[in-house]
Amino acid sequence: MFDLTNLSVHFGPATALREASLTIRPGDRLGIVGESGSGKSMLALCLMGMAPEAATLSGTLTIDGRDMADATERDWQALRARRVAMIFQEPMAALNPLSRVGDTVMDPLRLHLGLSKQAARARALDLFAEVGIPDPEARLRQFPHELSGGQRQRVLIALALACDPDLLIADEPTTALDANVALRITDLLVRLSAERNMALLFISHDLAAVARATSDIAVMYGGDIVERGPTRAVLDSPAHPYTRGLLGARPSATALPRDAKGKRARLPTIPGTVPGMADLPKGCRFAGRCPVELPRCASERPAVTKPGPDRSAICHVPSKEALA
Amino acid sequence: MAYFLFRRTLGFVLTLLAVSVVVFAVMNILPGDPALTILGLDATEDALAALREQLGLNDPLLSRYFSWIGNALTGDFGISHSFRVPVSELIAERLPMTLSLAVAGMIFTVILALIMGIGAAANHRKAGDWGVMFLSQLGIAVPAFWLSMLLVLLFAVKLRWLPPGGFPGWSDPIAAMRALILPTVALGLVQSSVLARVTRSSALEVMRQDFIRTARATGFSRQRVLWRHVLPNALVPIVTIVGMQFAALVTGTIVIENVFYLPGLGRLIFQSIANRDLPTVQALVMLFAAIVVTANFIVDLLYVVIDPRLKARA
């Protein structure tokens, strides 16, 4: 079990993550959505013990009851791959170009699990089959540049699964892939999570992928988890104005309505841009861009409200519809 | 792949041919009469003419080139004017010395540079990194002959740990290796300083890439990530420089062998130039050039061994 309580990450005066609290249990499928710079990747790196050296961490992170505050790099090395594994956004760049993909996947099996070369090879073949790589025998001997993007992402998933982790973090696993390949990878991750009772932390800015992959969702903005709860409930009736903005900015398959002059309406956007880490408002991070902002929003951090069962939002004016 | 090998081999042969033309032309355009050099200023005109005829100096340039290159291909480089023995014998006698020194220098250069360079990259912007950058700057700035003298003064004269010069031959390997230590350090230190910097920057470049993050996320130790993931990917620029440095090391033996009294090709070429021993100089320049071209040829082949993506394109 992974437990974050009020975890903050600072870079000097700048805040990358503010008092994030989360609990991840075996088999959980948690989505994290937010724009670039919202702190979602930082949260993931903290769970891997891979926050940049320049970062200062505060708050607590416990893994199976163990406080990781004084964990050394060596302690983390023992957890990575075996307890928590991660796949990254760019499958094209995330594999060692000089290493056959079979060797890449066999390395942790031999080093961490102490398998013999034959046993590691057999295990790698099983893993390749499990993640849906056709003709695994031949693939083992290939180099990354000989595989497609989707195949490489499957290799990376196989690598992440190698030591049977309790938690798989997928940081934008589908962003660099074609839409139909992305769907299949998303479904693969869901299936693996269910079959192995492995927790999945699915990080994405693609709301449709998150809706498909996860049972719970955390929406991040400016280093805050601004809203969280069951995925369906949050997406059906978002409580936080930022979540509403994200949902409103989603393109849909149906054409947007035309106005009186017959001009097609434009896709709504959230006005303004995400401020830099050092320029975020002290109170609600969304102040300045929020359509329902109150005067106190910029200076006063909102308390946590409970818009529904298992739900929370940090907002002075959470949607009445969601609260009802 | 076969086409790549063919193209590179053809390039290798053509380069050697071009080098031979340049070497021959330069040597034969130089003013000075070999016959006069051999017989001395008191020689009679008849004797000089006879010797010129015997040396083939009266033949047309082109036919002299072809007889030189043809004989050279069979290992016959003519007779040394000053030593009065076949040049090939002189070379056979001294080549092991120079190759031992150059290879030892290369090994020293590469090992020291990789440890320093990777160590600096691993400690980027920390004391270790600054230390390596400072020492390598110093290493680049110090001239080899001056460093040689300092090493001799300290380790041979003052501490008496190592011989100050000379070479006992490989029949006594321990003594031979002891004799090679100071020349190797003097020869390799500048090159390893350069290579350490190349290694450092190349490794830093690789460390920024995504697959290094993947390797760390897979729970590998820092050392393993550095030597198994960073270093192989940093090798292409390193190997390029190593190829050029081998050339510099081979030619560097000229200075080092003279400082340490080592009976190698470097000393031989120095003496031959002083003695205007044309066939010997010509053969040695050709040989040095051939060693350099061969080193570059091997580097070209190594690229493909290192990076499978290049094999696909090759």
Side-chain angles (χ1 to χ4, degrees):
Chain A
M1 195 167 88
F2 296 78
D3 198 48
L4 302 179
T5 312
N6 292 334
L7 188 75
S8 300
V9 176
H10 296 278
F11 289 94
T15 311
L17 195 63
R18 183 165 70 165
E19 295 173 11
S21 299
L22 273 182
T23 302
I24 303 167
R25 293 180 190 81
D28 276 1
R29 284 181 287 119
L30 174 64
I32 298 189
V33 293
E35 290 162 82
S36 320
S38 62
K40 49 195 201 310
S41 293
M42 188 56 64
L43 183 77
L45 289 176
C46 287
L47 285 167
M48 295 289 292
M50 280 170 63
E53 279 177 41
T56 344
L57 274 65
S58 59
T60 54
L61 162 61
T62 62
I63 298 180
D64 296 326
R66 182 187 164 186
D67 189 347
M68 300 306 290
D70 52 0
T72 62
E73 171 68 16
R74 203 166 281 273
D75 295 333
W76 277 110
Q77 280 164 18
L79 291 175
R80 291 179 200 142
R82 276 161 277 200
R83 306 304 313 279
V84 49
M86 187 160 177
I87 56 175
F88 297 96
Q89 178 170 356
E90 266 303 335
M92 307 312 263
L95 283 165
N96 186 340
L98 306 189
S99 183
R100 295 175 198 277
V101 294
D103 293 337
T104 299
V105 174
M106 282 158 65
D107 254 5
L109 293 168
R110 302 190 62 191
L111 237 70
H112 296 334
L113 305 183
L115 297 187
S116 69
K117 195 165 183 184
Q118 286 75 23
R121 193 167 180 281
R123 184 92 184 82
L125 282 174
D126 290 346
L127 284 165
F128 274 24
E130 187 178 358
V131 300
I133 295 175
D135 197 5
E137 284 274 355
R139 292 280 177 261
L140 278 184
R141 285 189 301 274
Q142 288 189 307
F143 288 97
H145 71 268
E146 298 173 299
L147 303 179
S148 68
Q151 297 293 345
R152 288 187 219 191
Q153 194 60 291
R154 285 176 199 269
V155 169
L156 283 159
I157 294 171
L159 174 66
L161 294 179
C163 299
D164 202 16
D166 305 324
L167 168 63
L168 175 64
I169 301 172
D171 189 359
E172 307 257 6
T174 57
T175 307
L177 303 175
D178 290 343
N180 58 336
V181 179
L183 271 184
R184 272 184 262 145
I185 295 285
T186 306
D187 290 346
L188 171 67
L189 290 171
V190 173
R191 196 192 84 214
L192 292 168
S193 161
E195 283 172 3
R196 293 168 164 254
N197 194 32
M198 171 183 73
L200 175 68
L201 190 68
F202 190 95
I203 300 173
S204 182
H205 57 248
D206 178 356
L207 286 170
V210 172
R212 196 179 172 96
T214 65
S215 51
D216 288 271
I217 192 171
V219 181
M220 295 194 67
Y221 182 86
D224 275 0
I225 297 177
V226 294
E227 175 164 12
R228 56 162 315 189
T231 307
R232 186 113 316 271
V234 170
L235 296 184
D236 282 348
S237 58
H240 197 282
Y242 176 66
T243 316
R244 289 203 299 278
L246 269 188
L247 283 167
R250 225 170 12 152
S252 85
T254 52
L256 289 161
R258 291 172 191 277
D259 64 10
K261 290 180 190 153
K263 242 179 137 182
R264 196 73 82 188
R266 299 188 63 161
L267 191 65
T269 54
I270 301 173
T273 54
V274 189
M277 261 196 292
D279 309 317
L280 289 164
K282 292 246 176 316
C284 175
R285 299 301 202 198
F286 197 44
R289 297 179 73 189
C290 181
V292 294
E293 190 173 334
L294 302 176
R296 63 192 163 120
C297 284
S299 56
E300 203 180 303
R301 191 165 187 221
V304 177
T305 58
K306 303 263 176 210
D310 301 322
R311 293 185 61 179
S312 63
I314 306 177
C315 182
H316 287 302
V317 276
S319 153
K320 293 214 174 51
E321 187 194 335
L323 285 172
Chain B
M1 190 62 203
Y3 175 64
F4 167 81
L5 278 179
F6 170 74
R7 220 176 44 200
R8 283 299 143 94
T9 311
L10 190 71
F12 172 65
V13 172
L14 288 179
T15 310
L16 277 182
L17 219 60
V19 168
S20 73
V21 170
V22 172
V23 169
F24 182 83
V26 169
M27 289 297 162
N28 286 282
I29 287 164
L30 284 180
D33 183 352
L36 194 63
T37 315
I38 294 169
L39 295 178
L41 290 172
D42 303 331
T44 63
E45 197 52 47
D46 287 349
L48 286 173
L51 186 60
R52 283 194 198 106
E53 186 59 39
Q54 189 197 329
L55 292 175
L57 293 177
N58 295 332
D59 298 347
L61 211 55
L62 209 61
S63 79
R64 276 163 59 203
Y65 169 75
F66 281 115
S67 78
W68 173 64
I69 200 76
N71 288 336
L73 281 175
T74 63
D76 176 9
F77 291 97
I79 308 284
S80 159
H81 295 167
S82 51
F83 292 89
R84 317 271 168 178
V85 291
V87 174
S88 52
E89 264 176 42
L90 290 175
I91 290 176
E93 234 169 67
R94 288 160 171 79
L95 186 65
M97 170 78 251
T98 298
L99 278 187
S100 304
L101 182 56
V103 169
M106 195 76 258
I107 293 170
F108 171 78
T109 297
V110 169
I111 290 178
L112 185 66
L114 292 189
I115 292 173
M116 299 288 260
I118 295 285
N123 295 291
H124 189 37
R125 289 167 206 263
K126 291 190 206 144
D129 188 16
W130 301 127
V132 168
M133 291 303 277
F134 174 75
L135 288 176
S136 62
Q137 190 64 60
L138 207 64
I140 292 168
V142 170
F145 70 89
W146 186 71
L147 177 71
S148 307
M149 291 192 287
L150 286 189
L151 288 172
V152 168
L153 276 178
L154 181 61
F155 292 102
V157 177
K158 207 167 166 66
L159 297 171
R160 295 182 179 280
W161 289 352
L162 295 165
F167 189 69
W170 280 109
S171 52
D172 182 352
I174 304 282
M177 279 194 248
R178 276 169 52 86
L180 275 179
I181 291 176
L182 291 183
T184 299
V185 172
L187 183 63
L189 204 65
V190 177
Q191 302 303 334
S192 69
S193 300
V194 174
L195 191 62
R197 288 177 159 246
V198 172
T199 304
R200 172 185 174 273
S201 59
S202 180
L204 284 176
E205 188 75 30
V206 173
M207 283 161 77
R208 275 193 284 271
Q209 296 193 28
D210 284 0
F211 61 85
I212 297 305
R213 193 178 53 180
T214 306
R216 284 194 65 210
T218 313
F220 295 137
S221 68
R222 279 184 193 283
Q223 291 301 316
R224 189 181 172 84
V225 172
L226 279 175
W227 295 101
R228 295 295 295 275
H229 296 263
V230 175
L231 180 61
N233 280 282
L235 271 184
V236 165
I238 293 174
V239 165
T240 308
I241 302 295
V242 165
M244 299 200 284
Q245 290 191 314
F246 190 69
L249 287 173
V250 169
T251 48
T253 59
I254 297 174
V255 171
I256 298 297
E257 285 177 0
N258 275 293
V259 175
F260 287 96
Y261 292 100
L262 301 176
L265 295 178
R267 243 181 105 64
L268 180 63
I269 199 171
F270 189 78
Q271 292 164 333
S272 308
I273 292 170
N275 294 333
R276 293 170 171 271
D277 186 346
L278 203 66
T280 311
V281 174
Q282 192 164 306
L284 287 175
V285 172
M286 188 63 216
L287 184 65
F288 275 67
I291 291 173
V292 171
V293 175
T294 308
N296 285 327
F297 178 61
I298 292 170
V299 164
D300 277 350
L301 298 185
L302 274 182
Y303 288 146
V304 187
V305 176
I306 294 169
D307 196 334
R309 288 168 296 184
L310 298 177
K311 193 186 281 172
R313 262 180 266 153

